[in-house]
Amino acid sequence: VNDINSIVQEAHQAIQQTEDLASLDHLRVKYLGKKGALTNLLKNLSTLDPSERPQYGQQVNQAKQQLQQSIQQQQSILEEAHLQSQLSQETLDVTLPGRGQSLGNLHPITQIRTQVESFFSQLGFSIADGPEVEDDYHNFEALNIPANHPARDMQDTFYLENGLLLRTHTSPVQIRVMQQQEPPLRILAPGRVYRCDDIDPTHSPMFNQVEGLLVDEDINFAHLKGILEAFVRFFFAEEIQVRFRPSFFPFTEPSAELDVLINGRWMEILGCGMVHPNVLENVNIDSEKYTGFAFGMGFDRLAMARFGIDDLRLFFESDLRFLGQF
Ligand code: DAH
């Protein structure tokens, strides 16, 4: 009986001194486990006089229950303490200002390109792509601009090594498409182009163009005028004033430029014309059977007109304070 009491006392003390659940569990095993101190006492049972056994057994069991209780008490004390410390460490200051998510927007040039694409895709045009590093053949030769042709002067070219160059317009995509596909063709080719001309508010060595090409049987200048006028009315306004001005491009005949009247001034927005028979023959399309029209439009200019921006360079400086306004 003395044994029992001293074990219980010792255990009590130890339990109350535990500071974490692991050591508490350790004590549970030490006193109450299969080989624990109290369990061991029961093994003495057989050495006792049979008359003393029931009482002794009872005392050991009581002692076990007491210890179990005190372990449980200590356990809830430790758990509560753990919870409190967690709560105090993880407090949330709901008065702090939020971090916020800033919402992005499409680049103004991208917005314009998307609008142009949406108009022409409704008319059955599909988007075509070509390399920005081009060769002389696709950028000039096949477009009826032979070496030494004065028209090359209009497009001051960045030449690279091996006869390569940075494309000066999106027109070479016309050639690439016609080399790969048979008429009827309706394609739209937006992309970057490069010219080493002067840099000023309306010129940049890199700018954006979109090329259009339609080739089919019985296509004439009325189709060109109809579609381009419809585009301009879609893009600017139904009542906008439009004029076609005769012009020259080696790859079209006849050629024209299209101007729109904006704030009392005529603004040139694109070049166009009927695809020159030489161009069709260069890509093995029968120019007796097929005709077509093409146009090339700088859509940075469209963006300037749409958003009232007078300096083209702002679009390419990646200043979010500027770009975020559109
Ligand atoms: N490629 C011409 C330029 O960059 C624009 C152009 C004019 C494209 C007439 C055409 C066209 O397809 O028919 O100046």
Side-chain angles (χ1 to χ4, degrees):
V1 174
N2 276 341
D3 275 358
I4 301 180
N5 285 338
S6 65
I7 290 177
V8 168
Q9 240 179 15
E10 173 197 303
H12 254 315
Q13 267 187 359
I15 288 170
Q16 277 165 2
Q17 280 166 12
T18 52
E19 287 178 351
D20 59 80
L21 292 169
S23 38
L24 188 62
D25 205 54
H26 197 70
L27 290 180
R28 186 202 315 278
V29 174
K30 180 173 172 190
Y31 291 101
L32 300 174
K34 264 190 199 153
K35 292 177 183 165
L38 281 177
T39 320
N40 279 340
L41 285 182
L42 283 178
K43 290 172 188 158
N44 296 337
L45 222 51
S46 57
T47 65
L48 291 180
D49 186 90
S51 63
E52 295 178 342
R53 288 179 192 171
Q55 214 203 349
Y56 186 76
Q58 240 179 15
Q59 282 170 340
V60 173
N61 278 333
Q62 253 173 16
K64 272 183 145 181
Q65 277 171 11
Q66 275 174 12
L67 287 194
Q68 246 152 19
Q69 247 180 23
S70 95
I71 287 176
Q72 231 154 44
Q73 261 174 21
Q74 185 68 6
Q75 184 171 342
S76 32
I77 290 174
L78 289 179
E79 278 172 355
E80 175 68 17
H82 180 67
L83 181 68
Q84 288 305 335
S85 85
Q86 226 177 10
L87 283 177
S88 67
Q89 273 170 30
E90 297 173 9
T91 42
L92 189 68
D93 184 351
V94 292
T95 64
L96 281 176
R99 287 210 186 89
Q101 287 265 336
S102 55
L103 210 53
N105 60 287
L106 292 177
H107 192 286
I109 301 287
T110 305
Q111 295 178 30
I112 299 295
R113 175 168 56 79
T114 309
Q115 285 174 20
V116 175
E117 287 176 358
S118 88
F119 174 83
F120 284 98
S121 55
Q122 284 173 44
L123 296 182
F125 285 71
S126 52
I127 308 297
D129 203 7
E132 290 175 27
V133 174
E134 260 299 1
D135 53 41
D136 189 272
Y137 179 76
H138 290 89
N139 196 79
F140 294 122
E141 201 75 33
L143 287 163
N144 206 29
I145 316 176
N148 305 321
H149 192 290
R152 289 205 181 194
D153 281 352
M154 286 171 18
Q155 304 193 349
D156 240 341
T157 310
F158 287 109
Y159 286 98
L160 310 171
E161 286 168 0
N162 316 324
L164 295 176
L165 45 84
L166 296 183
R167 68 177 180 191
T168 57
H169 50 179
T170 43
S171 303
V173 185
Q174 289 186 32
I175 302 298
R176 292 189 175 273
V177 168
M178 289 190 291
Q179 281 173 332
Q180 279 164 13
Q181 299 173 34
E182 305 272 308
L185 292 170
R186 288 179 199 194
I187 59 109
L188 195 72
R192 295 194 180 96
V193 301
Y194 303 85
R195 288 184 204 176
C196 49
D197 52 16
D198 38 326
I199 303 178
D200 65 35
T202 56
H203 291 88
S204 147
M206 185 284 295
F207 57 104
N208 293 281
Q209 273 193 341
V210 59
E211 193 79 12
L213 173 72
L214 186 153
V215 180
D216 205 339
E217 292 177 42
D218 301 322
I219 296 300
N220 60 47
F221 203 83
H223 297 115
L224 177 158
K225 284 190 75 176
I227 286 184
L228 292 180
E229 266 193 49
F231 165 72
V232 166
R233 297 192 192 292
F234 161 85
F235 185 84
F236 289 101
E238 192 53 44
E239 59 284 351
I240 193 149
Q241 281 204 55
V242 186
R243 78 177 180 199
F244 285 85
R245 213 168 8 88
S247 184
F248 171 80
F249 300 102
F251 32 91
T252 45
E253 178 61 32
S255 305
E257 279 168 273
L258 187 158
D259 302 336
V260 291
L261 192 62
I262 291 184
N263 299 329
R265 286 181 49 211
W266 288 104
M267 184 177 88
E268 171 200 323
I269 64 164
L270 59 83
C272 58
M274 302 305 294
V275 181
H276 197 291
N278 289 353
V279 173
L280 294 175
E281 297 300 332
N282 284 342
V283 291
N284 295 319
I285 291 179
D286 182 353
S287 63
E288 293 295 327
K289 182 171 177 200
Y290 292 107
T291 49
F293 68 82
F295 59 89
M297 151 164 78
F299 58 84
D300 305 315
R301 292 264 180 88
L302 295 187
M304 290 171 76
R306 163 65 56 84
F307 298 119
I309 305 301
D310 51 15
D311 191 338
L312 173 66
R313 294 167 296 188
L314 287 168
F315 287 132
F316 308 130
E317 281 170 358
S318 300
D319 186 337
L320 289 179
R321 291 168 304 179
F322 173 73
L323 297 177
Q325 299 173 48
F326 304 99

